[in-house]
Amino acid sequence: MFDANMPTDQVCLGRKRPVPSCPNPLFLQWLTELRDSAKEKGLKTQYVYQKAINSLKKYPLPLKNGKEAKILQNFGDGICKILDERLQKHYREHGSDAPIHLATSCQGSNVASSKQMEEPRKEPSGNLSEPMKRTQREVRKEKGTKKKREYVPQKRSGGYAVLLTLYRHAQMPGSKGFMFRNELQTEAQPLCEKSFTVPDLGSKYTAWSSVSTLIQKDLLVKTHNPARYSLTDQGLALAERLDSEETREAKEHVEQMSGEEDSRDGPDVVDLTLVEDEEEQEDKESCRSSKTSERLATALSVNQATGHISESDAAGKSQTLETGRTAMGWYLTPGSYEIVLCVDVIETTGGSSGRKQELVKELQRNCVTFDIRKLNVGDFLWVAREKVTPVPGQLRPPVGKELVLDYIIERKRMDDLCGSIIDGRFREQKFRLKRCGLRKPIYLVEECGSAAAHLSIPESTLQQAIVNTQVVDGFFVKRVQDVKESAAYLTIMTRYLQKLYHNCTLFCRSRELEGDGGDESEQTANLSCSLMAFTEFNYGAIKNKCQTVREVFARQLMQISGVSGDKAAAVLEHYSTVSSLLQAYDRCSSESEKEKLLSSIKYGKLKRNLGPALSRTIYQLYCTRGPLS
């Protein structure tokens, strides 16, 4: 009910004055500029600035300086210091009395709208005509809706190289429509000025950091595990535009160079006084011609991607192989690489460090080129590393490409072998070595002298385990006496591999696409080998990475006594998941049929049956309710 006694002076009629969206518009403007600058450079600090902006918008009181902003969430010492420096610069440019809470550049539309709301109050009502009001509304709408600028990556940046590489790969005949991270980085590197793997000095970001921006802009899609990268429809259109522009510039450059050569044609006049100038000119022309050849190579790769591939004289299987290798990407020619021994960092640190350092000293004494790095599987392997020349003006030389040779060594002392058999690491390591993608696994067994008599497992059991590794698992086993003999064997193997791959052309293959590759004798006869890139190999051998349901099922089966890697793989060929196995059990009519379901499955090279005893054990494990008897 309306109270008639209520004083009328408390009732305020008319439009309310709009509340300003932010009492600190100048700080908001500076933080927005910092965020946009970090976003253009692909830096992750853009998210820090965005959090600070959100926090500042929620704060209802004006701030006098950046130090006062320290009470807000997501405002650290760095942001407060930047705001104070900007504030001091603002005072120097506009005077010490310049207002900081009425910045027109940040909230210009709000201030303008508030002024427009105040003007009708000053004038009598009805002074503004209807067309004038409509014009003001249209102006406010135009100010509020700014056209969003299309994102186009800078030329020869990380995003530019990734878009072009994915587009050209998609145009190849028989393309799979996506690329893995390692092959994408390798093929995109020639199109980018920064490295995709090594950050610049003073920064922790590489050219690969721009991929997150491409995903945010809906130009790129990342799926599966391992990650697969492909272009969206929007990214495909942008990449096509970039590629056509790149091809057009290359053609224009070639025409310009040919025109300059035609203009230089004329009567041969020799001026002996200009010999030095001519030599300098020749150096410049050689640099130009090298750049021209690079652009021509780019244009040729584009033509090949669109289907203009010259016919080959070779036919049959070799032609298919070479075509597949060319489509896969890069390769290393004889003389452009060196064979380097890679030593796992665990083999040089921890434990009995004196014995481990002795191995390093022996390799150095034998003049073996080796590199210490983290290996996710195995203790020693060899890579073919591309020879690179240092670039003038850069502290570090460019990162060379690396391909893993098909030889990998797992080193075991007898006491370590005993411990690994007890805790189950021995069987797991053999299983991972078989699945790593390298065709020549080697076990280097090192004797430990008189200490073998004090081990918790009888020596006969250890000897049987070594024989099984060679005969049943198919590993090559080399037995040595001490660390010196181990270093001598690594030295001999390094010399042998340097000679074996001396005249070979090494092609990069993807483990996900080609499997294990062909026969080595056929490869050496053709003087070419298909090998995995080191980054792809090491990433695929990570022990605790995300696993599929099939892999988890295999690990479960291998925990059962008597189930080896071959037996588990044989079961997985028929029943890839636990669910499919349980469904097969449900289809059986009797209990005895369920127990013998897996008994006739063949495993291993000899194709032996899995057997009724093991089949019964697996059935009881997955189908028995309650504890096992």
Side-chain angles (χ1 to χ4, degrees), residues 213-281:
T213 305
L214 296 178
I215 295 176
Q216 290 176 1
K217 299 293 183 181
D218 198 23
L219 301 174
L220 198 67
V221 176
K222 176 184 176 183
T223 57
H224 293 81
N225 185 18
R228 298 179 180 181
Y229 297 90
S230 56
L231 292 174
T232 62
D233 293 338
Q234 184 180 351
L236 192 64
L238 177 59
E240 184 178 4
R241 200 163 71 245
L242 294 176
D243 186 67
S244 60
E245 184 178 349
E246 176 87 7
T247 308
R248 179 178 54 80
E249 289 181 1
K251 290 181 179 178
E252 288 178 357
H253 187 78
V254 172
E255 291 174 359
Q256 182 181 357
M257 293 299 299
S258 61
E260 291 178 1
E261 291 176 358
D262 294 340
S263 63
R264 285 198 299 267
D265 290 344
D268 296 335
V269 180
V270 180
D271 190 354
L272 297 178
T273 61
L274 298 177
V275 173
E276 296 180 358
D277 295 339
E278 288 180 359
E279 289 179 353
E280 293 179 359
Q281 188 68 20

Side-chain angles (χ1 to χ4, degrees), residues 136-370:
Q136 289 181 355
R137 283 197 299 268
E138 291 174 357
V139 170
R140 284 199 294 270
K141 284 182 179 180
E142 290 178 359
K143 286 184 179 180
T145 59
K146 293 183 179 179
K147 187 176 180 181
K148 198 171 182 181
R149 190 175 65 178
E150 182 187 10
Y151 171 77
V152 178
Q154 189 177 1
K155 191 170 183 179
R156 295 195 66 80
S157 64
Y160 177 87
V162 168
L163 287 177
L164 273 185
T165 304
L166 284 172
Y167 173 74
R168 293 174 181 176
H169 185 270
Q171 300 305 312
M172 288 183 178
S175 170
K176 56 187 181 295
F178 62 86
M179 295 183 73
F180 296 101
R181 173 173 177 169
N182 297 321
E183 58 179 338
L184 180 56
Q185 287 180 343
T186 303
E187 294 189 21
Q189 187 60 69
L191 299 173
C192 182
E193 293 178 350
K194 288 187 177 182
S195 172
F196 277 94
T197 54
V198 180
D200 294 336
L201 291 177
S203 174
K204 61 180 181 180
Y205 301 108
T206 63
W208 186 254
S209 304
S210 59
V211 169
S212 59
T213 305
L214 296 178
I215 295 176
Q216 290 176 1
K217 299 293 183 181
D218 198 23
L219 301 174
L220 198 67
V221 176
K222 176 184 176 183
T223 57
H224 293 81
N225 185 18
R228 298 179 180 181
Y229 297 90
S230 56
L231 292 174
T232 62
D233 293 338
Q234 184 180 351
L236 192 64
L238 177 59
E240 184 178 4
R241 200 163 71 245
L242 294 176
D243 186 67
S244 60
E245 184 178 349
E246 176 87 7
T247 308
R248 179 178 54 80
E249 289 181 1
K251 290 181 179 178
E252 288 178 357
H253 187 78
V254 172
E255 291 174 359
Q256 182 181 357
M257 293 299 299
S258 61
E260 291 178 1
E261 291 176 358
D262 294 340
S263 63
R264 285 198 299 267
D265 290 344
D268 296 335
V269 180
V270 180
D271 190 354
L272 297 178
T273 61
L274 298 177
V275 173
E276 296 180 358
D277 295 339
E278 288 180 359
E279 289 179 353
E280 293 179 359
Q281 188 68 20
E282 287 176 359
D283 293 339
K284 293 179 180 178
E285 293 301 327
S286 63
C287 294
R288 289 178 185 173
S289 62
S290 63
K291 292 181 180 178
T292 305
S293 62
E294 290 178 2
R295 292 178 178 263
L296 279 171
T298 305
L300 287 174
S301 64
V302 173
N303 291 335
Q304 288 182 354
T306 53
H308 302 291
I309 302 174
S310 60
E311 294 183 357
S312 174
D313 295 334
K317 182 178 178 180
S318 60
Q319 181 183 7
T320 307
L321 181 63
E322 293 300 324
T323 305
R325 285 171 176 169
T326 306
M328 271 183 279
W330 54 276
Y331 58 90
L332 299 177
T333 57
S336 65
Y337 60 87
E338 58 179 347
I339 305 299
V340 180
L341 170 66
C342 294
V343 182
D344 187 18
V345 66
I346 303 299
E347 292 297 309
T348 60
T349 57
S352 54
S353 57
R355 180 174 58 85
K356 293 186 175 182
Q357 287 300 320
E358 186 180 354
L359 175 68
V360 175
K361 292 178 181 178
E362 284 294 326
L363 292 175
Q364 291 174 344
R365 193 176 295 117
N366 296 339
C367 300
V368 176
T369 304
F370 67 94

Side-chain angles (χ1 to χ4, degrees), residues 427 557-564 567 603 610 614:
R427 188 167 55 173
L557 291 173
M558 291 181 63
Q559 301 308 310
I560 302 173
S561 178
V563 179
S564 62
K567 294 178 181 178
Y603 74 92
L610 205 62
L614 202 54

